[in-house]
Amino acid sequence: MERRKAIYPLIGFPIWYGEGRDPSALMSSIRRAHFDYVEVSLDYPWPFKDVSRLDEIIGEAKRKGLKVALHAPWRDVKLSSPIEGIRKESLEFFKSALMEVRGHFEYVVLHLTTDQTVERSEIVRREALEAAIDSLRTLIGLSRELGQKLAIENVRESVSQIASLASTFPELPLCLDVGHLISSVTRMRGDPREALSEWAERLAGRTLVVHLSGVRKMGKYVVDHLWVSIRSPLARFAVEIIKRLKPGYVLLEVFQNSKGEDVDPSELKGVVRHLKTRLGGI
């Protein structure tokens, strides 16, 4: 009898402009750790300057048999700003960046952010949501023209706010950033498990991508994108939520190892194996 091949989401590793390692050696290390794809973040100056290095990284990933996804620009980009001039300038920059990148990518994840105090003002929260909807109407049309698949990532938004956007754009997939959700809920003195469960209940059929990282409370701050301990009760709970969501992609968005140093892909090999075992068959 032929043995059934395990089905699991593709597991990815993040790449950004500050990555200084040789692309060929880096992609080989990523491949040996059994990652399936890389998510390349278009941090400035990408994709407008030092394009040859960006092209080299994407090309080397594909030559090593890795799929490639993109994280759209987000620093200084305020697509949800209720200040129309700021929103429009951000939208124009975002559009120009998206048009600079050519080729097939698994997805393009984007932030819909503003620096305004959306957590403490209903008026600001409502206007920021309206601004996000206006930006998305433009970007969805552009992404269709370019053949790119956009996915909305949560940053500071509540599950209810993301669900509202999802209902407005039923064709648009979502990206659950576990670290962002835990951080924002913790800052508001909420329960991370309740928030993750609410996401699974309301958005299970819409979640294409999950960003997974460790989170730690440091004084009054909550820091994410840290080392993932698969023995942590909260991490185990998050993995079970991911299993319910049935995403196509899980990015290990980890930038530091357990010692606080830049993480090497090889250090995450055990986490990759654990995820493929736990999420196999979804």
Side-chain angles (χ1 to χ4, degrees):
M1 180 182 294
E2 185 178 354
R3 188 175 182 180
R4 179 180 178 273
K5 186 177 181 180
I7 301 172
Y8 48 79
L10 300 183
I11 310 297
F13 185 84
I15 305 288
W16 71 296
Y17 181 74
E19 175 57 67
R21 285 170 283 192
D22 172 72
S24 179
L26 176 61
M27 297 307 162
S28 293
S29 178
I30 291 170
R31 200 67 173 128
R32 285 195 299 272
H34 302 297
F35 284 97
D36 305 295
Y37 78 101
V38 294
E39 184 186 280
V40 180
S41 184
L42 298 179
D43 293 286
Y44 186 82
W46 287 346
F48 302 104
K49 298 177 181 178
D50 201 9
V51 178
S52 60
R53 179 163 176 81
L54 175 61
D55 290 343
E56 183 182 11
I57 285 173
I58 292 173
E60 194 60 43
K62 292 181 177 180
R63 281 190 288 275
K64 292 293 193 298
L66 295 162
K67 297 181 184 300
V68 180
L70 296 179
H71 195 306
W74 60 275
R75 299 182 193 273
D76 297 331
V77 180
K78 308 301 175 185
L79 295 170
S80 295
S81 176
I83 302 172
E84 186 66 358
I86 293 175
R87 185 190 73 84
K88 284 188 173 180
E89 287 294 328
S90 295
L91 186 59
E92 288 305 311
F93 174 81
F94 191 102
K95 286 164 59 180
S96 64
L98 207 57
M99 293 176 71
E100 284 291 323
V101 185
R102 302 293 179 180
H104 169 74
F105 300 99
E106 300 298 302
Y107 59 80
V108 181
V109 72
L110 75 153
H111 291 182
L112 293 166
T113 55
T114 176
D115 288 339
Q116 302 299 325
T117 55
V118 293
E119 297 93 343
R120 300 186 181 275
S121 169
E122 177 58 35
I123 293 173
V124 175
R125 188 158 50 245
R126 183 176 65 250
E127 291 186 1
L129 180 61
E130 291 169 356
I133 289 171
D134 287 342
S135 294
L136 276 175
R137 286 196 177 106
T138 299
L139 293 176
I140 288 172
L142 178 62
S143 66
R144 284 174 179 161
E145 291 177 23
L146 298 176
Q148 306 292 11
K149 182 187 297 182
L150 293 180
I152 307 170
E153 177 182 346
N154 62 298
V155 184
R156 293 161 56 199
E157 303 89 349
S158 67
V159 176
S160 293
Q161 290 169 317
I162 292 292
S164 179
L165 284 172
S167 65
T168 304
F169 301 98
E171 75 282 14
L172 198 61
L174 305 175
C175 169
L176 166 61
D177 190 299
V178 173
H180 288 170
L181 187 59
I182 292 174
S183 297
S184 62
V185 169
T186 301
R187 280 194 294 267
M188 299 301 291
R189 299 183 180 180
D191 186 337
R193 288 176 174 81
E194 287 184 7
L196 287 166
S197 296
E198 182 185 0
W199 185 294
E201 289 165 9
R202 302 181 68 174
L203 300 167
R206 299 291 300 277
T207 306
L208 176 69
V209 187
V210 173
H211 285 180
L212 180 62
S213 67
V215 176
R216 186 181 307 132
K217 192 169 183 181
M218 299 180 178
K220 63 179 180 179
Y221 298 103
V222 181
V223 182
D224 59 1
H225 299 152
L226 302 177
W227 180 257
V228 177
S229 171
I230 56 179
R231 291 187 294 273
S232 158
L234 186 54
R236 290 201 301 267
F237 184 85
V239 170
E240 292 308 307
I241 291 294
I242 295 171
K243 191 174 179 68
R244 288 172 58 187
L245 291 175
K246 298 181 171 63
Y249 308 87
V250 175
L251 181 79
L252 276 174
E253 200 172 26
V254 176
F255 299 119
Q256 294 182 356
N257 61 20
S258 57
K259 299 177 182 178
E261 303 166 339
D262 289 347
V263 71
D264 186 85
S266 63
E267 297 177 273
L268 291 166
K269 186 175 182 178
V271 182
V272 173
R273 182 169 56 246
H274 174 79
L275 289 176
K276 290 186 175 183
T277 299
R278 292 297 304 153
L279 302 177
I282 71 170

